[in-house]
């Protein structure tokens, strides 16, 4: 029999990391393939992440961060490593993580209870000590971890230059506005605080937050931009209710939000992705920029 490939190879890694889990359960588990990870889902038991490329290089630190976050007093569940990080190839590594209960909320699912839960989440995250010598602070990535880290501005400028003429100025303005934002005191930033990464109980309370791979000590307005998954009305209401500097953060969130589409191609460039894949993502960005420009014109 030849070597296992594809989903079988990923499941074989899961069996290696979870030897106490029935082989039949692992063999029947769903495998989800993402941009940087292959994931084996064992509901109620575990998640096995097989990281590729740059993600594999950071897996040990990210696993240590999850342990630190689990001990940081957050009033919600976060995944916790169930295994050591193991190397599965020259450019891949894997770890088993605990299962976080709950389901994602639909796009635009705001409402008063949701706003209250988001306020509790933002308050709890802001209270985590992210200074360099703390358990959490030692394990955090740098800002812009998704799209180049220290090369973010360079890569984003390359993306702008590669866009079609009719949207290049719009994209350049979005980037310029973000670069010109004044620095703010750093807080714990998840970096992708939306969609399937927030898990909810059936009663509408927040169960947990997963996928902390991009976490950093940075501007919390970045997370507010991600929370637009629930609608700007929900973000604005949450920030207004919290007071302090949060309403101003909601204004900065709009600036960061405008840069998010550009980060997809920037991340691909950083990872050395094929030119055809980069071109495809650029076309999607151009389409989104045209749509936003048309919508803005219609609102005037």
């Amino acid at each position: 029999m030849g070597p296992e490939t594809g989903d079988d190879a990923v499941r074989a890694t899961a069996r290696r990391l979870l030897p106490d889990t029935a082989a039949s359960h692992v063999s029947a588990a769903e495998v989800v393939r993402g941009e940087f990870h292959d994931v084996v889902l064992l509901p109620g038991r575990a998640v096995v992440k097989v990281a590729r490329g740059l993600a594999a290089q950071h897996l040990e630190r990210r696993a240590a961060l999850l342990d630190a976050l689990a001990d940081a007093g957050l009033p919600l569940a976060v995944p916790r490593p169930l295994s050591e990080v193991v190397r599965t190839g020259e450019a891949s590594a894997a770890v088993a993580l605990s299962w976080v209960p709950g389901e994602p909320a639909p796009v635009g699912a705001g409402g008063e209870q949701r706003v209250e839960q988001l306020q509790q989440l933002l308050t709890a995250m802001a209270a985590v000590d992210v200074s360099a010598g703390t358990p959490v602070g030692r394990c955090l990535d740098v800002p812009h971890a998704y799209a180049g880290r220290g090369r973010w501005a360079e890569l984003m400028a390359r993306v702008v230059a590669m866009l079609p003429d009719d949207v290049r100025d719009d994209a350049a303005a979005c980037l310029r506005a973000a670069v010109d934002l004044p620095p703010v005191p750093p807080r714990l930033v998840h970096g992708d605080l939306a969609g399937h990464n927030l898990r909810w109980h059936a009663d509408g309370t927040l169960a947990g937050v997963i996928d902390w791979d991009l976490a950093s000590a940075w501007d919390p307005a970045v997370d507010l931009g991600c929370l637009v998954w629930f609608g700007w009305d929900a973000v604005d209401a949450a920030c207004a209710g919290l007071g302090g500097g949060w309403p101003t953060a909601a204004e900065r969130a709009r600036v960061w939000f405008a840069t998010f589409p550009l980060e997809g191609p920037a991340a691909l460039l950083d990872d050395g992705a094929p030119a055809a894949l980069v071109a495809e993502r650029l076309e999607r960005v151009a389409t989104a920029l045209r749509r936003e420009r048309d919508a803005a014109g219609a609102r005037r």
Side-chain angles (χ1 to χ4, degrees), residues 165-170 286-300:
D165 293 346
D166 66 308
V167 295
R168 192 175 301 138
D169 287 348
D170 293 338
T287 299
L289 288 169
R290 293 180 187 116
R291 186 183 304 118
E292 174 57 29
R293 184 177 58 204
D294 292 345
R299 289 193 293 268
R300 294 194 190 101

Side-chain angles (χ1 to χ4, degrees), residues 84-162:
E84 299 293 327
V85 173
V86 300
R87 294 288 142 184
T88 57
E90 289 186 6
S92 62
V95 66
L97 305 174
S98 61
W99 184 267
V100 173
E103 298 293 334
V107 177
E112 184 176 347
Q113 183 184 27
R114 192 86 62 189
V115 167
E116 291 174 355
Q117 292 292 300
L118 295 178
Q119 288 175 325
Q120 293 177 25
L121 171 62
L122 293 169
T123 300
M125 289 180 61
V128 175
D129 190 347
V130 295
S131 53
T134 62
V136 171
R138 285 195 297 268
C139 298
L140 291 172
D141 211 327
V142 298
H144 303 299
Y146 173 62
R149 298 178 171 83
R151 300 176 61 217
W152 179 81
E154 169 202 338
L155 291 170
M156 294 285 276
R158 285 178 59 190
V159 169
V160 170
M162 296 168 73

Side-chain angles (χ1 to χ4, degrees), residues 36 50-57 87-93:
F36 303 108
V50 181
R52 304 184 303 272
L54 291 176
Q57 298 176 22
R87 294 288 142 184
T88 57
E90 289 186 6
S92 62

Side-chain angles (χ1 to χ4, degrees), residues 3-285:
E4 293 174 305
T5 59
D7 290 358
D8 287 339
V10 178
R11 293 191 182 97
T13 298
R15 286 192 291 270
R16 174 183 173 190
L17 296 181
L18 298 169
D20 296 332
T21 300
S24 59
H25 291 170
V26 178
S27 297
E30 180 183 3
V31 176
V32 177
R33 295 193 175 275
E35 194 169 343
F36 303 108
H37 299 88
D38 297 328
V39 181
V40 181
L41 302 177
L42 294 159
R45 169 74 173 96
V47 171
V48 175
K49 295 182 72 170
V50 181
R52 304 184 303 272
L54 291 176
Q57 298 176 22
H58 294 274
L59 195 59
E60 283 92 349
R61 177 185 53 76
R62 289 170 173 173
L65 173 62
L66 293 176
D67 269 333
L69 288 169
D71 295 333
L74 292 172
L76 49 87
V78 300
R80 194 154 198 167
L82 300 176
S83 74
E84 299 293 327
V85 173
V86 300
R87 294 288 142 184
T88 57
E90 289 186 6
S92 62
V95 66
L97 305 174
S98 61
W99 184 267
V100 173
E103 298 293 334
V107 177
E112 184 176 347
Q113 183 184 27
R114 192 86 62 189
V115 167
E116 291 174 355
Q117 292 292 300
L118 295 178
Q119 288 175 325
Q120 293 177 25
L121 171 62
L122 293 169
T123 300
M125 289 180 61
V128 175
D129 190 347
V130 295
S131 53
T134 62
V136 171
R138 285 195 297 268
C139 298
L140 291 172
D141 211 327
V142 298
H144 303 299
Y146 173 62
R149 298 178 171 83
R151 300 176 61 217
W152 179 81
E154 169 202 338
L155 291 170
M156 294 285 276
R158 285 178 59 190
V159 169
V160 170
M162 296 168 73
L163 286 167
D165 293 346
D166 66 308
V167 295
R168 192 175 301 138
D169 287 348
D170 293 338
C174 293
L175 177 57
R176 190 163 50 249
V179 170
D180 289 344
L181 282 173
V184 297
R187 292 178 176 170
L188 176 61
V189 171
H190 179 279
D192 193 13
L193 200 63
H196 285 68
N197 291 336
L198 274 70
R199 316 296 289 187
W200 300 85
H201 290 302
D203 65 0
T205 57
L206 185 61
V209 178
I210 64 173
D211 197 359
W212 292 82
D213 289 354
L214 305 178
S216 64
W218 194 17
D219 182 355
V222 173
D223 278 346
L224 296 178
C226 297
L227 288 174
V228 174
W229 177 275
F230 302 101
W232 279 114
D233 287 347
V235 171
D236 289 339
C239 291
L242 289 173
W246 286 104
T248 302
E251 296 174 8
R252 293 198 310 277
R254 286 164 165 81
V255 176
W256 288 121
F257 180 79
T259 68
F260 290 170
L262 304 176
E263 291 194 332
L268 292 175
L269 290 172
D270 188 43
D271 206 35
L277 183 58
V278 175
E280 178 185 343
R281 187 65 64 88
L282 286 167
E283 183 54 41
R284 286 162 54 184
V285 171

